[in-house]
Amino acid sequence: MSEADFDHPDIVLEPHGPMLVRGASTIRDAEGTLHRVERPVVALCRCDKSSRKPWCDGTHKVIPRR
Amino acid sequence: MRMPKARGPLSEWVVARLAEGDTYLGGSAPLPADQDDEAIALWTLHELSYRGFEDASDDAERNPVVVVVRHDLESSLERRLRGRWDHADRPNLPAAADVPAELEELVASDDGPSLADHVRRSADVDQVLELLRQRSVYQLKEADPTAWVVPHLPTRAKAALMELQFDEYGNGNPNLLHAHLFAKGLESVGLRSEYGGYVDDALPETLELNNALSMFGMQRRLRGAAMGHLAAFEMTSSLPARKIAQGLGRLGLDGDMVGYYDEHVEADAVHEQLAARDICGTLAEDEPDQVAEILFGAFTCLDLESRVATALFRAWGVER
Ligand code: FES
Ligand SMILES: [Fe+2]
Ligand SMILES: [Fe+2]
């Protein structure tokens, strides 16, 4: 295997899932509230159905896919 | 922690050998009475590689007699687990790039009984406490069995596993370490929090689940199964964690245990992405011969969880 560097994006859109964000310290949600980020990687809800917005809580998995 | 109570001739033999120190000559181990005897014997042997026991010799871990017994018990466990996978309705082997999607399929088609639904809607306090005692066998060493796998992985999967494990270990803050959060949670609901405190109450199904996790973690050969297991575990965590937190609230068991499950709603929504894609997905690409192993591990996680759930529902007389 050649030792080229790997892709390692800070922001990843997961297929049918959340947006992973690495290394953020604060997030402003859609209501304008600021949230402190407590972990190195967070998952932000993109389906709008999470009970913990702005965080993903896995609810996207039970929403039928279009 | 002291060694657990023996459950038959084999575990009695194991406990006696471990207590003797490094001077014993061995002799051969008796046959186990049943799966319970076998499971507690293997659990005890595995524990020598974690925190050990006050009443076992520190030399016991690598004593050749003990290693032979551990090997035989692991072989028999692995045969049983692979037999169940062979009988499962399994998919055709996917291409490496399709492993994350296949994991999603496997998890989505799992129809095992749901302890989380029961806790959310109808469990009573005694049932919830029983569930927490069973869970404590793993949760008080949460993430430890998976830590063994780090050196066995290629570069991308290794970095991703460390990203996940770092979160399990509190991102360097002992107050946020998941096993510590669970220990505080146990105290908040009036249970004991010491490491291994409820092993004597563990059902054979709980022990089998823990033994599989330790065996997958400790053997390099089983790294794919360990990572498949991790992915299925993380992928079936955030939604159930939310239900359990709701059930605890319904029963008035608010406090640190709710905090533990709340933390897992958010953390495992991240972890499931890392585990399925960055760990299992890249491992499958870098080592295509691990594809089948990853799926075997994921199946085994779901299967063992469903066996624990079935055993608890049976013990409670709850119809599923
Ligand atoms: S994206 Fe996961 S809950 Fe919305
Ligand atoms: Fe955790
Ligand atoms: Fe996790």
Side-chain angles (χ1 to χ4, degrees):
Chain A
M1 200 204 293
S2 70
E3 289 302 317
D5 277 344
F6 301 101
D7 290 341
H8 187 60
D10 298 331
I11 299 189
V12 180
L13 302 183
E14 299 294 355
H16 312 285
M19 174 194 292
L20 289 196
V21 179
R22 295 191 160 89
S25 51
T26 46
I27 305 271
R28 193 195 313 277
D29 68 19
E31 274 74 54
T33 311
L34 222 51
H35 299 264
R36 266 181 58 94
V37 174
E38 309 283 356
R39 60 184 82 251
V41 194
V42 286
L44 297 178
C45 176
R46 290 203 297 151
C47 74
D48 211 34
K49 296 285 188 290
S50 172
S51 66
R52 311 271 169 130
K53 280 188 283 186
W55 320 121
C56 165
D57 70 352
T59 301
H60 63 268
K61 287 184 281 186
V62 294
I63 299 173
R65 287 183 191 176
R66 279 176 267 200
Chain B
M1 177 182 28
R2 302 184 65 78
M3 285 193 275
K5 285 199 191 70
R7 301 188 186 192
L10 175 63
S11 47
E12 205 168 302
W13 184 91
V14 164
V15 167
R17 294 291 85 71
L18 298 185
E20 277 172 15
D22 61 349
T23 53
Y24 58 83
L25 289 167
S28 59
L31 288 174
D34 51 21
Q35 213 155 299
D36 204 14
D37 187 19
E38 197 174 318
I40 194 69
L42 182 55
W43 185 88
T44 306
L45 293 169
H46 278 155
E47 187 53 36
L48 297 172
S49 299
Y50 291 98
R51 306 280 293 275
F53 303 98
E54 299 151 40
D55 51 345
S57 153
D58 261 344
D59 293 321
E61 186 183 358
R62 295 303 169 114
N63 182 289
V65 177
V66 166
V67 170
V68 167
V69 177
R70 179 161 158 170
H71 174 267
D72 291 350
L73 289 172
E74 286 192 341
S75 300
S76 130
L77 171 61
E78 186 180 345
R79 264 196 309 278
R80 192 160 66 236
L81 300 178
R82 289 198 188 272
R84 292 171 188 164
W85 172 227
D86 288 341
H87 284 98
D89 227 356
R90 47 205 275 201
N92 292 327
L93 218 52
D98 297 331
V99 161
E102 193 61 53
L103 288 169
E104 272 176 37
E105 280 282 319
L106 202 61
V107 167
S109 63
D110 174 46
D111 53 5
S114 168
L115 285 165
D117 280 334
H118 182 62
V119 170
R120 182 168 78 92
R121 284 198 297 259
S122 40
D124 62 28
V125 171
D126 284 346
Q127 292 171 349
V128 169
L129 295 182
E130 170 66 14
L131 171 62
L132 294 173
R133 282 195 295 270
Q134 296 297 321
R135 291 254 163 113
S136 73
V137 179
Y138 170 65
Q139 247 80 35
L140 289 172
K141 59 159 76 102
E142 187 168 331
D144 290 350
T146 318
W148 301 107
V149 187
V150 175
H152 302 152
L153 295 175
T155 307
R156 289 187 295 174
K158 178 184 281 176
L161 177 57
M162 282 307 297
E163 194 170 50
L164 189 159
Q165 291 286 94
F166 192 51
D167 212 22
E168 299 286 352
Y169 288 131
N171 302 305
N173 179 348
N175 294 310
L176 300 179
L177 190 126
H178 284 185
H180 174 71
L181 296 179
F182 193 80
K184 288 205 315 184
L186 287 173
E187 285 173 12
S188 77
V189 298
L191 294 173
R192 290 180 287 119
S193 64
E194 72 274 10
Y195 183 85
Y198 288 109
V199 171
D200 283 332
D201 298 335
L203 296 166
E205 290 81 1
T206 293
L207 294 173
E208 186 178 50
L209 179 153
N210 278 271
N211 291 345
L213 203 47
S214 292
M215 175 176 75
F216 287 170
M218 289 188 215
Q219 290 197 36
R220 183 192 58 80
R221 180 176 60 83
L222 298 173
R223 64 197 176 283
M227 294 299 91
H229 185 290
L230 172 69
F233 186 91
E234 299 288 356
M235 293 167 90
T236 50
S237 177
S238 33
L239 290 172
R242 183 174 157 211
K243 292 175 182 169
I244 291 175
Q246 288 168 334
L248 290 166
R250 173 178 64 78
L251 293 165
L253 297 170
D254 322 271
D256 287 337
M257 193 54 95
V258 174
Y260 170 86
Y261 281 102
D262 271 341
E263 159 66 11
H264 280 80
V265 174
E266 282 170 28
D268 288 347
V270 179
H271 297 174
E272 70 173 309
Q273 302 295 340
L274 298 177
R277 295 172 193 287
D278 299 325
I279 300 174
C280 289
T282 66
L283 176 61
E285 281 176 21
D286 292 342
E287 298 181 359
D289 61 337
Q290 293 300 307
V291 169
E293 288 294 285
I294 291 169
L295 296 180
F296 160 60
F299 164 83
T300 299
C301 172
L302 302 172
D303 179 60
L304 293 175
E305 292 287 347
S306 120
R307 285 168 194 270
V308 171
T310 303
L312 283 172
F313 283 129
R314 199 188 310 124
W316 297 335
V318 175
E319 284 285 329
R320 298 306 302 169

mmCIF file of all heavy atoms in Angstrom, chain B residues 5 16 18 25 34 147 216 218 224:
data_model
loop_
_atom_site.group_PDB
_atom_site.id
_atom_site.type_symbol
_atom_site.label_atom_id
_atom_site.label_comp_id
_atom_site.label_asym_id
_atom_site.label_seq_id
_atom_site.Cartn_x
_atom_site.Cartn_y
_atom_site.Cartn_z
ATOM 1 N N LYS B 5 -18.965 -16.641 42.195
ATOM 2 C CA LYS B 5 -19.364 -17.969 42.699
ATOM 3 C C LYS B 5 -19.324 -18.960 41.543
ATOM 4 O O LYS B 5 -19.764 -18.660 40.436
ATOM 5 C CB LYS B 5 -20.797 -17.920 43.215
ATOM 6 C CG LYS B 5 -20.964 -17.226 44.536
ATOM 7 C CD LYS B 5 -22.310 -17.668 45.144
ATOM 8 C CE LYS B 5 -22.669 -16.811 46.338
ATOM 9 N NZ LYS B 5 -23.030 -15.425 45.967
ATOM 10 N N ALA B 16 -10.649 -22.458 41.807
ATOM 11 C CA ALA B 16 -9.659 -23.067 42.709
ATOM 12 C C ALA B 16 -8.246 -22.932 42.134
ATOM 13 O O ALA B 16 -7.302 -22.574 42.850
ATOM 14 C CB ALA B 16 -10.003 -24.540 42.950
ATOM 15 N N LEU B 18 -7.118 -20.650 39.992
ATOM 16 C CA LEU B 18 -6.683 -19.246 39.970
ATOM 17 C C LEU B 18 -6.279 -18.773 41.358
ATOM 18 O O LEU B 18 -5.398 -17.925 41.503
ATOM 19 C CB LEU B 18 -7.798 -18.343 39.425
ATOM 20 C CG LEU B 18 -8.231 -18.612 37.984
ATOM 21 C CD1 LEU B 18 -9.245 -17.561 37.529
ATOM 22 C CD2 LEU B 18 -7.041 -18.633 37.037
ATOM 23 N N LEU B 25 0.367 -27.549 39.427
ATOM 24 C CA LEU B 25 0.796 -28.303 38.264
ATOM 25 C C LEU B 25 -0.312 -28.498 37.246
ATOM 26 O O LEU B 25 -0.065 -28.929 36.133
ATOM 27 C CB LEU B 25 1.319 -29.668 38.708
ATOM 28 C CG LEU B 25 2.675 -29.560 39.442
ATOM 29 C CD1 LEU B 25 2.997 -30.873 40.139
ATOM 30 C CD2 LEU B 25 3.778 -29.189 38.462
ATOM 31 N N ASP B 34 -23.001 -27.360 32.376
ATOM 32 C CA ASP B 34 -23.932 -26.781 31.404
ATOM 33 C C ASP B 34 -23.344 -25.481 30.866
ATOM 34 O O ASP B 34 -22.216 -25.117 31.203
ATOM 35 C CB ASP B 34 -25.294 -26.519 32.052
ATOM 36 C CG ASP B 34 -25.169 -25.718 33.350
ATOM 37 O OD1 ASP B 34 -24.134 -25.042 33.540
ATOM 38 O OD2 ASP B 34 -26.093 -25.780 34.183
ATOM 39 N N ALA B 147 -11.096 -1.790 23.006
ATOM 40 C CA ALA B 147 -9.785 -1.138 23.016
ATOM 41 C C ALA B 147 -8.677 -2.094 22.568
ATOM 42 O O ALA B 147 -7.675 -1.674 22.002
ATOM 43 C CB ALA B 147 -9.484 -0.594 24.417
ATOM 44 N N PHE B 216 -13.775 -11.556 20.807
ATOM 45 C CA PHE B 216 -13.586 -10.795 19.562
ATOM 46 C C PHE B 216 -12.500 -9.737 19.750
ATOM 47 O O PHE B 216 -11.686 -9.492 18.869
ATOM 48 C CB PHE B 216 -14.882 -10.086 19.151
ATOM 49 C CG PHE B 216 -15.966 -10.992 18.608
ATOM 50 C CD1 PHE B 216 -17.255 -10.502 18.408
ATOM 51 C CD2 PHE B 216 -15.707 -12.314 18.295
ATOM 52 C CE1 PHE B 216 -18.267 -11.314 17.895
ATOM 53 C CE2 PHE B 216 -16.713 -13.141 17.789
ATOM 54 C CZ PHE B 216 -17.998 -12.636 17.602
ATOM 55 N N MET B 218 -9.962 -9.599 21.948
ATOM 56 C CA MET B 218 -8.595 -10.003 22.298
ATOM 57 C C MET B 218 -7.883 -10.770 21.194
ATOM 58 O O MET B 218 -6.665 -10.852 21.201
ATOM 59 C CB MET B 218 -8.620 -10.850 23.567
ATOM 60 C CG MET B 218 -8.944 -10.038 24.807
ATOM 61 S SD MET B 218 -8.728 -11.072 26.274
ATOM 62 C CE MET B 218 -10.038 -10.435 27.315
ATOM 63 N N GLY B 224 -12.291 -8.363 12.559
ATOM 64 C CA GLY B 224 -13.426 -7.990 11.715
ATOM 65 C C GLY B 224 -14.738 -8.194 12.472
ATOM 66 O O GLY B 224 -15.630 -7.333 12.453
#
